Amino acid sequence: MMGNLKPLEILLIVAVIFLLFGAKKLPDMARSLGKSARILKSEAKAMKKEGEADDAATAASVADPAPQQTAAPRTIQASPGDVTSARPVNEPNHTTQG
């Protein structure tokens, strides 16, 4: 359907969007869309790495049943390099203190 649009029709659509949202809102919307895309990309990479690590850990545990060391707490970041919004992942703690 997008292939059937002529340049004049695309220009008209852009003009209507510009009139609806205004000049001040469009850059903010584009910025938030880009940030959301970066977050999605980084989370997809993290999930892929985690899946590969789980596969490697499963293969290693089958080959060597030695106990594993506890890993450092994981954090989720809003975007790569954005440390202000990093927060720890809430995972249950299986050790008892006392």
Side-chain angles (χ1 to χ4, degrees):
M1 180 164 183
M2 287 295 287
N4 296 337
L5 293 177
K6 298 176 182 149
L8 184 60
E9 294 169 339
I10 293 173
L11 185 62
L12 182 64
I13 291 171
V14 170
V16 168
I17 290 172
F18 186 73
L19 289 174
L20 284 175
F21 295 108
K24 290 187 178 185
K25 291 285 184 181
L26 287 177
D28 292 337
M29 290 171 53
R31 212 173 288 121
S32 65
L33 182 64
K35 190 173 184 179
S36 298
R38 282 192 305 270
I39 292 169
L40 180 66
K41 186 177 179 180
S42 67
E43 290 297 322
K45 281 184 181 178
M47 288 175 62
K48 187 175 181 182
K49 277 186 181 179
E50 189 174 295
E52 290 173 356
D54 288 345
D55 291 343
T58 303
S61 67
V62 170
D64 185 23
Q68 297 179 355
Q69 297 178 350
T70 58
R74 299 182 314 166
T75 58
I76 297 175
Q77 294 183 350
S79 63
D82 184 14
V83 295
T84 59
S85 61
R87 61 191 187 279
V89 177
N90 292 329
E91 293 181 348
N93 191 357
H94 297 289
T95 61
T96 59
Q97 296 178 356

